[in-house]
Amino acid sequence: GNSVTQMEGPVTLSEEAFLTINCTYTATGYPSLFWYVQYPGEGLQLLLKATKADDKGSNKGFEATYRKETTSFHLEKGSVQVSDSAVYFCALSDRTGANSKLTFGKGITLSVRP
Amino acid sequence: EPEVTQTPSHQVTQMGQEVILRCVPISNHLYFYWYRQILGQKVEFLVSFYNNEISEKSEIFDDQFSVERPDGSNFTLKIRSTKLEDSAMYFCASSEYGGTGETQYFGPGTRLLVL
């Protein structure tokens, strides 16, 4: 079946540091890939997505490229801010009947120090 | 900006009791989902729903669970007889279309505690 693996956390960085959060996936078809973010006390929000190989998703300074050859979708940001402190989830979507369902990684907590 | 809402935000119940978790999806969305996250574990798919019927359900979604769209705005998850292991955060989500590239919009979740 499909699965998503994220690097172990938590991650603590100083403000303006470079961020990489690794995500790899296993899928039988041609999934779309997503990063969702959960700020404290809130639900999951879409951060970015990519729907086919070599696509790059980007939003709020975050980027991730859909790498089919390495089955990866690593999240990067050049300079993190305190406001980026949250839980980050990598996910893939595959089609099942009329709907698609998301398969999530375990999530990783990012804390950014001033 | 339209958003998915869920009620209640927290629910405490006794084992064996029935609970109903409520969700109001985004108004023009046609595809609906429930996920759950047990503390410290992954967010897991429970069920998807379209055109007033279940599209897919996971192994978790056994006969104790049911979903319903009782009117044009609400989408509910019922657990008929709760177990301790049903304690989790339950997320409702909706999307406008059902394709793999479609964004699913999540509600803030209901934290269910079964004692």
Side-chain angles (χ1 to χ4, degrees):
Chain A
N2 296 336
S3 67
V4 175
T5 302
Q6 291 184 235
M7 60 185 277
E8 292 291 324
V11 172
T12 302
L13 295 174
S14 297
E15 204 164 24
E16 299 184 2
F18 183 83
L19 169 71
T20 299
I21 301 177
N22 289 342
C23 171
T24 57
Y25 69 91
T26 303
T28 51
Y30 300 92
S32 294
L33 301 173
F34 301 79
W35 277 99
Y36 277 85
V37 59
Q38 186 178 30
Y39 298 104
E42 300 184 16
L44 294 107
Q45 303 174 21
L46 177 70
L47 181 59
L48 53 83
K49 68 180 182 182
T51 58
K52 61 183 188 296
D54 300 325
D55 270 1
K56 179 188 283 188
S58 61
N59 186 26
K60 299 181 182 179
F62 292 89
E63 292 184 339
T65 301
Y66 188 160
R67 301 280 187 207
K68 195 166 185 291
E69 64 275 14
T70 54
T71 61
S72 65
F73 193 54
H74 304 322
L75 182 68
E76 296 183 336
K77 187 174 186 183
S79 176
V80 293
Q81 305 300 311
V82 172
S83 57
D84 294 327
S85 298
V87 182
Y88 291 82
F89 295 91
C90 184
L92 68 81
S93 173
D94 64 340
R95 190 72 183 250
T96 54
N99 291 44
S100 299
K101 69 177 184 186
L102 290 168
T103 300
F104 285 89
K106 199 169 181 181
I108 187 169
T109 300
L110 170 66
S111 299
V112 181
R113 298 183 298 235
Chain B
E1 184 175 330
E3 59 183 19
V4 177
T5 59
Q6 291 185 243
T7 54
S9 57
H10 295 80
Q11 174 131 17
V12 181
T13 190
Q14 296 292 323
M15 191 170 55
Q17 295 296 303
E18 175 184 285
V19 295
I20 298 176
L21 309 183
R22 290 183 166 79
C23 169
V24 178
I26 294 173
S27 62
N28 64 327
H29 287 186
L30 300 177
Y31 298 82
F32 313 114
Y33 311 82
W34 283 101
Y35 294 83
R36 79 171 186 189
Q37 185 181 28
I38 295 171
L39 192 63
Q41 298 186 25
K42 294 185 179 185
V43 177
E44 303 171 288
F45 168 79
L46 291 178
V47 65
S48 57
F49 190 87
Y50 169 71
N51 200 26
N52 279 321
E53 59 183 28
I54 290 174
S55 300
E56 186 184 358
K57 55 186 180 181
S58 70
E59 293 175 356
I60 304 166
F61 195 90
D62 61 22
D63 291 344
Q64 294 300 315
F65 290 87
S66 62
V67 288
E68 193 178 30
R69 188 152 164 82
D71 53 42
S73 59
N74 290 284
F75 180 51
T76 61
L77 174 69
K78 181 192 291 186
I79 308 175
R80 189 174 315 130
S81 177
T82 50
K83 307 183 189 72
L84 295 177
E85 55 265 35
D86 293 329
S87 296
M89 179 74 92
Y90 288 80
F91 294 105
C92 173
S94 69
S95 64
E96 190 173 1
Y97 303 105
T100 57
E102 290 301 313
T103 299
Q104 293 183 24
Y105 294 84
F106 283 76
T110 293
R111 185 168 295 284
L112 176 65
L113 179 60
V114 182
L115 302 176

